[in-house]
Amino acid sequence: MLDLVKSANNFLWSFLLLVILCGTGIYFTIRLRFIQIRKFSEGCRLVFGHFKLQGTKERNGAMTPLQSLATAIAAQVGTGNLTGAATALVMGGPGAIFWMWLSAFFGMATIYSEAALAQQFKTVKDGQITGGPVYYIKEAFQGVFGKILAAAFAVFIILALGFMGNMVQSNSIGAAFSEVFAARNIQIPSLVIGILIAVFAGFIFLGGTERLAAVVEKMVPFMAGIYIIGSLVLIILHITELPGALKMIIVGAFNPQAVTGGAAGITIREAIRYGVARGLFSNEAGMGSTPHAHARATAKNPHEQGLAAMISVFIDTFIILNLTVFSILTTGVLANGKEGIALTQSAFTTGFGSFGDIFVAVCLFFFAFSTIISWQFFGSINVDYLFGKKAVKVYSALVIVFIVVGSTLKVNLVWELADFFNGLMVIPNALALIALSGTVVKIMKTFQNSKKSVDMPTKE
């Protein structure tokens, strides 16, 4: 089973998805006239210009723009930023990071389109504002084909994020704390950690959208701020190594063996594959996950929500993920034989001593936990779409079970299955984005120079 899924993933992530995701990003970058550059400052103003520590409560399942963006970032900033970055460096060499940057740049145009369409085609169901790819997929493809494609997307995201993805997140938390406990000869079963995560998560699940929004709008700025400060301190302690780290990335992008040595066997193809795949896995641009949060924002118009969504990719990849990368490269731990979260913890231990692995474990807890509650939320929207509101409670209970089980297992198969269904999510979402590209361009042209507030209609 594992070998079969690995073979499928090799095809999906080595060729098909790289073409679809990067191609979609390049296509929208051209059609939107490099909106990620032209409107970057405006996007920053929308995100940070009206920042408040205490958010405003919205009704009918809606979120403030800050809450929706925080929910999207909570989903994006997870194990991929601490573990995925380390994996890309080990498997693709430092040059993989260059390709990660490139894919994220084009991905900013893709996620603008996703967020704008999610706002444009949001709807009201059972008195609650909702939206996401299933709704704009049906707008893109009318009739039976659209319904089948939307249903397929819903199934893929429920499996990929709600179940297997959240098992991976809880397992990553357990692995990080296991490193801490093992270094201090402390025996605490992983099951205990899994139960604690499940209890906290269940409390938030029961509170619905309002509790989720209240938690993430406070947790995301806090967790990001702590990690940014710690990483910057570590990099500054090794600042003389920063030029060499940059050189490794640029040279390694086009001549990997000049950086890793011939014995490593890393090629340009592998650098591109792991850079693009892990970058896209981290920022989720084009996967169709974060539009669920953007649809619920009380934005002035779809264009402004799209601009805010662009900044979420920038924060995820160009700030937080890069801090992990430069922490590893400047401390010189890349060749120590460790992988994943253990490699990141090794970098921080080099700078902070015995406190380093604790710092990373605590940060990972916040990152992965925020991803768990956001992914459960995204999945619940699709469960409601397929089976109705009553099924959401059953789904949430199952997610809690998967969280506990995931913390105790070595989830190689679950990682591969999560990657597989993540990849399948991309296909119907990308097809709808391309089909509705004219609508995206119209949204941009209509609102990019408008300062007026526009009440977007929602379907009943």
Side-chain angles (χ1 to χ4, degrees):
M1 179 66 174
L2 179 60
D3 290 339
L4 180 64
V5 179
K6 278 186 175 180
S7 297
N9 279 335
N10 283 336
F11 172 73
L12 282 174
W13 287 102
S14 293
F15 175 72
L16 182 63
L17 292 180
L18 301 190
V19 172
I20 292 175
L21 285 163
C22 291
T24 301
I26 293 170
Y27 175 73
F28 276 107
T29 295
I30 294 171
R31 288 213 65 180
L32 299 174
R33 296 185 291 117
F34 287 82
I35 193 169
Q36 60 269 65
I37 296 176
R38 292 190 300 107
K39 295 294 182 178
F40 180 78
S41 61
E42 185 177 343
C44 289
R45 179 183 59 79
L46 290 168
V47 172
F48 302 111
H50 301 92
F51 178 82
K52 294 180 181 178
L53 187 60
Q54 185 174 1
T56 304
K57 288 186 178 181
E58 299 289 347
R59 295 179 297 174
N60 302 327
M63 297 179 180
T64 66
L66 176 61
Q67 289 171 340
S68 67
L69 185 70
T71 304
I73 294 176
Q76 293 165 312
V77 179
T79 58
N81 295 79
L82 278 72
T83 307
T87 302
L89 283 168
V90 171
M91 302 302 293
I97 306 307
F98 173 85
W99 301 109
M100 190 178 290
W101 294 342
L102 197 64
S103 66
F105 172 76
F106 292 121
M108 290 172 72
T110 304
I111 209 163
Y112 167 89
S113 306
E114 290 180 294
L117 289 174
Q119 271 284 311
Q120 181 70 23
F121 297 112
K122 63 184 180 182
T123 187
V124 174
K125 184 176 181 180
D126 299 323
Q128 297 283 304
I129 294 174
T130 190
V134 290
Y135 295 98
Y136 62 67
I137 287 172
K138 289 201 301 180
E139 291 289 338
F141 304 103
Q142 302 291 326
V144 175
F145 179 70
K147 291 180 180 179
I148 292 174
L149 207 61
F153 174 88
V155 171
F156 295 153
I157 193 172
I158 292 166
L159 293 173
L161 303 189
F163 296 150
M164 282 163 282
N166 278 335
M167 286 182 74
V168 169
Q169 299 293 334
S170 65
N171 186 267
S172 297
I173 295 173
F177 279 98
S178 294
E179 285 283 321
V180 173
F181 297 146
R184 292 158 181 80
N185 295 317
I186 300 173
Q187 299 296 323
I188 297 180
S190 298
L191 179 61
V192 174
I193 298 173
I195 291 173
L196 288 174
I197 298 168
V199 169
F200 292 143
F203 173 74
I204 297 171
F205 295 169
L206 291 173
T209 304
E210 287 188 7
R211 188 173 293 168
L212 166 71
V215 169
V216 296
E217 74 173 335
K218 295 174 179 64
M219 180 183 288
V220 169
F222 171 77
M223 72 180 188
I226 294 296
Y227 187 70
I228 288 170
I229 292 170
S231 301
L232 286 175
V233 170
L234 179 63
I235 294 168
I236 290 170
L237 289 173
H238 301 84
I239 195 67
T240 57
E241 304 299 324
L242 188 58
L246 284 167
K247 182 179 178 181
M248 290 171 68
I249 291 172
I250 301 303
V251 173
F254 304 98
N255 189 8
Q257 295 190 14
V259 174
T260 60
I266 294 174
T267 64
I268 294 178
R269 179 180 177 182
E270 287 172 314
I272 295 174
R273 174 194 172 183
Y274 286 103
V276 174
R278 291 305 172 193
L280 292 169
F281 184 83
S282 175
N283 60 52
E284 302 184 30
M287 286 174 57
S289 52
T290 59
H292 299 90
H294 295 300
R296 295 205 175 196
T298 54
K300 288 184 178 180
N301 55 64
H303 170 69
E304 287 200 354
Q305 193 61 29
L307 295 182
M310 288 194 325
I311 306 305
S312 71
V313 172
F314 182 84
I315 292 171
D316 173 86
T317 302
F318 290 104
I319 297 179
I320 297 177
L321 191 144
N322 267 350
L323 289 172
T324 301
V325 168
F326 286 110
S327 295
I328 292 171
L329 292 181
T330 57
T331 53
V333 299
L334 182 57
N336 69 6
K338 293 189 176 183
E339 298 181 357
I341 194 62
L343 179 59
T344 305
Q345 287 178 299
S346 177
F348 279 81
T349 301
T350 299
F352 298 152
S354 59
F355 174 70
D357 58 351
I358 297 175
F359 176 80
V360 173
V362 171
C363 288
L364 182 67
F365 172 81
F366 283 108
F367 285 166
F369 183 75
S370 66
T371 300
I372 286 172
I373 59 178
S374 296
W375 281 1
Q376 183 273 345
F377 170 60
F378 298 162
S380 69
I381 293 172
N382 290 275
V383 170
D384 186 10
Y385 172 78
L386 288 175
F387 307 112
K389 192 173 183 179
K390 291 182 179 180
V392 172
K393 291 183 178 179
V394 177
Y395 160 75
S396 297
L398 288 173
V399 171
I400 291 173
V401 172
F402 274 82
I403 289 170
V404 175
V405 173
S407 67
T408 66
L409 300 177
K410 291 185 177 180
V411 289
N412 289 340
L413 178 59
V414 178
W415 264 104
E416 293 292 338
L417 286 170
D419 280 347
F420 178 69
F421 285 108
N422 281 340
L424 293 181
M425 283 167 53
V426 170
I427 298 172
N429 185 57
L431 288 173
L433 292 177
I434 297 297
L436 293 171
S437 60
T439 302
V440 176
V441 173
K442 184 178 179 180
I443 289 171
M444 180 194 70
K445 290 181 176 179
T446 301
F447 295 112
Q448 67 177 347
N449 296 317
S450 174
K451 302 298 181 182
K452 296 180 181 180
S453 176
V454 178
D455 293 326
M456 293 305 301
T458 53
K459 295 182 178 181
E460 295 286 350

